[in-house]
Amino acid sequence: MGKKQKYIFVTGGVLSGVGKGVTAASIGALLQAKGATVSVQKCDPYLNVDAGLLNPREHGECFVTRDGAETDLDLGHYERFLDIELTQKSATLAGRLLFNLIADERAGKFGGQTVQLVPHLTQSIQEAILKSSQDSNSDVHIVEIGGTVGDYEGLSFIEAIREFSQRNGRDHCLFVHVVYVPFIGTSKEFKTKPAQNALNDLRGFGIVPDAVVVRSDDPAPISVARKISLFGGIPEENVLLMPNADTIYRVPMIIEKSGLNKLVSDFTGFQNKANLSAWEKIMRQQSSKPKTKVVVGLVAKYIDNEDTYMSVVEALKAAAWHEKTGLEIRWINAETATKKDFKAVDALLVPGGFGKRGIEGKIDAARYALDNNVPYLGLCLGLQVAVIAAARKAGLVDANSTEFEPKTKHDVVYIMNGQAGKESTGGTLRLGDYPAKLTAGSLLAKTYGKTDIVERHRHRYEVNQKYLAEIEKGGLIVSGYSPDGKLVEFVEAPKNTYFVATQAHPEFKSRPTKPHPLFVGLIKASLVKK
Ligand code: GLN
């Protein structure tokens, strides 16, 4: 038996998407800053098995862990706030658990019993929480429950964490409920009724939270906290008013200055003062008034939901803070992009993506950067469009990827070995960490500061090495392969100042305090040109 771990459960009421993930991650960051080891887990009541097939426009980015789990973007927050690498064990979806339960039923493992949400699904949720926490052997395991309390599909999860606290001891479990308080413009008041109802809902399921985080767009008066305290039965010092912050990385410090600091310190036993200097440094960088500003054009098709490119945006911000420059991300709609849009920015970035829509705009962006020595960073699809642009420049005017033009004569990007027929199926892409070898002396090796690297992946197509001569003629050389030489992992334009692209997703490994070298390289190259 390992040590007795402490559990913090974060649930939400009123609305989803109001910052449960950031709250959970920030409580974790605060505890880490007090010396605790922290692990995290997101439980999602969806009947999906993973987040791989979810529409990014609705759900935001699909975050990929080192072991290749396709997860909710909240795992990205956890990795960035806690600077840890998570695995499949931190992503628990109802669909995955049910899938296994039904397989067990078919295998005759239930010995004639009826299989039910309670106790079977609730039991497997508790086992998943126990396994995730015990494997990490952390001091504190934080569990965020997706959705809002009262959602039909989430009921088994709420029941499961209630039972979990009964089994493991209520004093080993802390419940934090995140609610939202709307401001009604016509009467000029904050309305606490939905939050009160959300607390009643949670109580109705047998959980009285220890703390409530009250989210609002603008600062709410103390009377709001008093009301929620009184009607929710929670001590006022454990009700934290949390209006939108200028940056999410301020939240650990806001929590540290609130009554929740004492609550989590007493609960975990980590009483010492938190060392938040790394976060304070980011705040200083963020609020300083830099003399320079870099405008990065992000050429994308989901420009109405920034969450779709969350890790890319965070990686750019981290690199700009590191270089002490201002940053403006200008969204360029790949479907309507013109040279004028490309000309108006200091650097171009083409992020990952799937499907044909907007693809010509992305190829044009890569071509523009290649021809005009504009700093360029291509991520996964961003490498593939760069290769297509170079092949077209070399004279293969119909060069394409078979993903977008299945019958193209010049398939400079084509489906990876063993992937044919798996299009649109779940969990079948090339996923997670893979090593690559960079050419010594290349710009990429210099940018990384080494030649052996490991990055996370999520793709089905690859560069067709039959066309390397044409691609080179068009201005791009391969500067990194998989160790067996079979897959092109990195390309760069030797004639340009900074034109680099990778088949991987380096954005997932960037941290606010440790920006990724490829993003730093992009910002640096853009500053040099100023
Ligand atoms: N659609 C491309 C592929 O499957 C690129 C994927 C990505 O950008 N993540 O290979």
Side-chain angles (χ1 to χ4, degrees):
M1 243 325 255
K3 59 188 161 192
K4 186 101 176 144
Q5 289 169 296
K6 298 278 185 174
Y7 294 86
I8 299 180
F9 293 99
V10 180
T11 52
V14 183
L15 292 177
S16 66
V18 288
K20 262 188 316 231
V22 170
T23 303
S26 299
I27 293 173
L30 175 64
L31 284 166
Q32 250 187 359
K34 286 171 178 282
T37 54
V38 176
S39 51
V40 276
Q41 180 174 14
K42 171 100 192 248
C43 289
D44 258 315
Y46 297 129
L47 296 187
N48 299 70
V49 172
D50 59 36
L53 299 176
L54 291 175
N55 181 347
R57 167 171 274 151
E58 260 173 63
H59 294 272
E61 149 186 291
C62 171
F63 188 82
V64 182
T65 58
R66 68 173 158 84
D67 62 341
E70 296 178 284
T71 74
D72 184 85
L73 56 75
D74 274 323
L75 270 79
H77 284 314
Y78 301 154
E79 286 209 0
R80 284 186 288 273
F81 274 86
L82 302 174
D83 192 14
I84 51 178
E85 287 201 288
L86 301 169
T87 64
Q88 179 68 69
K89 285 196 203 94
S90 289
T92 305
L93 277 86
R96 181 171 290 267
L97 299 176
L98 286 167
F99 197 70
N100 293 338
L101 270 183
I102 293 168
D104 283 351
E105 189 270 343
R106 290 291 78 188
K109 291 195 186 154
F110 285 98
Q113 284 177 55
T114 49
V115 185
Q116 296 175 287
L117 295 179
V118 182
H120 298 107
L121 179 62
T122 48
Q123 186 60 37
S124 49
I125 294 168
Q126 292 174 68
E127 281 162 14
I129 295 173
L130 212 52
K131 176 122 191 60
S132 180
S133 58
Q134 285 177 346
D135 283 357
S136 67
N137 197 29
S138 56
D139 297 316
V140 186
H141 187 67
I142 300 178
V143 182
E144 178 192 347
I145 308 292
T148 47
V149 172
D151 294 346
Y152 245 169
E153 54 200 7
L155 299 181
S156 308
F157 283 86
I158 304 300
E159 171 60 12
I161 60 173
R162 188 196 64 75
E163 283 179 26
F164 189 98
S165 75
Q166 199 169 334
R167 287 210 171 95
N168 289 272
R170 183 63 177 88
D171 53 337
H172 281 79
C173 298
L174 191 86
F175 290 96
V176 178
H177 198 44
V178 181
V179 296
Y180 179 71
V181 172
F183 180 76
I184 305 301
T186 41
S187 55
K188 298 208 168 27
E189 53 178 344
F190 286 92
K191 291 289 191 188
T192 59
K193 190 49 84 51
Q196 291 175 40
N197 288 341
L199 283 161
N200 284 343
D201 285 345
L202 190 58
R203 258 206 312 261
F205 296 118
I207 297 174
V208 181
D210 301 285
V212 179
V213 173
V214 183
R215 294 279 296 111
S216 57
D217 292 336
D218 295 312
I222 189 73
S223 56
V224 165
R226 289 205 179 113
K227 235 176 169 174
I228 289 176
S229 159
L230 183 65
F231 296 118
I234 294 117
E236 198 181 312
E237 62 271 24
N238 296 341
V239 178
L240 170 57
L241 295 177
M242 178 92 78
N244 285 349
D246 54 343
T247 159
I248 53 174
Y249 300 117
R250 197 182 291 286
V251 178
M253 280 174 277
I254 297 175
I255 297 179
E256 198 236 358
K257 291 198 178 64
S258 77
L260 260 61
N261 188 24
K262 182 170 182 329
L263 180 73
V264 297
S265 305
D266 291 349
F267 167 67
T268 58
F270 285 87
Q271 301 280 3
N272 43 314
K273 194 170 160 29
N275 176 3
L276 290 164
S277 54
W279 300 105
E280 281 154 9
K281 191 171 155 209
I282 294 179
M283 289 308 103
R284 277 199 301 278
Q285 280 162 350
Q286 143 111 11
S287 49
S288 68
K289 297 256 173 298
K291 289 189 192 67
T292 52
K293 182 175 93 174
V294 172
V295 183
V296 177
L298 217 145
V299 190
K301 66 177 175 184
Y302 298 115
I303 52 167
D304 52 354
N305 183 359
E306 282 191 26
D307 283 1
T308 312
Y309 306 100
M310 168 97 70
S311 294
V312 175
V313 170
E314 291 303 320
L316 281 171
K317 282 192 206 160
W321 289 332
H322 185 263
E323 290 308 302
K324 301 192 170 43
T325 177
L327 168 75
E328 180 189 333
I329 297 177
R330 199 166 293 165
W331 298 86
I332 300 181
N333 184 344
E335 286 187 276
T336 56
T338 63
K339 277 197 178 137
K340 228 172 105 199
D341 300 315
F342 305 145
K343 204 170 172 193
V345 297
D346 302 315
L348 285 163
L349 189 154
V350 177
F354 293 82
K356 188 171 178 169
R357 190 161 64 81
I359 201 68
E360 287 301 322
K362 295 179 186 175
I363 298 170
D364 287 349
R367 177 67 184 266
Y368 185 88
L370 196 57
D371 289 348
N372 296 285
N373 196 21
V374 175
Y376 176 88
L377 178 58
L379 308 171
C380 201
L381 180 66
L383 174 139
Q384 298 174 356
V385 295
V387 163
I388 296 170
R392 289 186 185 177
K393 187 173 175 178
L396 302 181
V397 287
D398 58 351
N400 216 324
S401 163
T402 53
E403 180 179 4
F404 318 123
E405 213 51 74
K407 295 206 163 52
T408 176
K409 265 223 292 301
H410 296 111
D411 52 343
V412 294
V413 176
Y414 65 171
I415 198 144
M416 252 184 287
N417 208 355
Q419 286 282 353
K422 294 187 185 161
E423 297 87 342
S424 324
T425 59
T428 57
L429 296 147
R430 180 170 178 251
L431 290 165
D433 269 3
Y434 283 95
K437 278 213 169 301
L438 301 173
T439 314
S442 61
L443 174 64
L444 274 154
K446 280 186 208 139
T447 309
Y448 269 102
K450 55 186 173 185
T451 52
D452 287 313
I453 59 106
V454 176
E455 291 286 4
R456 297 188 202 165
H457 293 69
R458 182 171 188 247
H459 66 122
R460 207 183 294 284
Y461 295 81
E462 61 167 312
V463 173
N464 185 348
Q465 297 196 41
K466 196 170 96 186
Y467 293 101
L468 287 191
E470 284 87 348
I471 293 166
E472 195 168 339
K473 196 173 149 217
L476 285 186
I477 55 165
V478 177
S479 45
Y481 286 97
S482 56
D484 62 7
K486 288 195 176 138
L487 298 174
V488 170
E489 294 279 23
F490 289 88
V491 300
E492 64 187 56
K495 291 218 173 76
N496 291 35
T497 313
Y498 191 84
F499 186 110
V500 300
T502 168
Q503 192 58 79
H505 287 279
E507 68 272 24
F508 294 143
K509 286 175 71 164
S510 173
R511 302 287 183 256
T513 45
K514 287 184 212 149
H516 192 284
L518 294 191
F519 288 83
V520 173
L522 184 76
I523 299 293
K524 263 192 180 155
S526 314
L527 281 171
V528 168
K529 288 196 72 188
K530 293 218 148 211

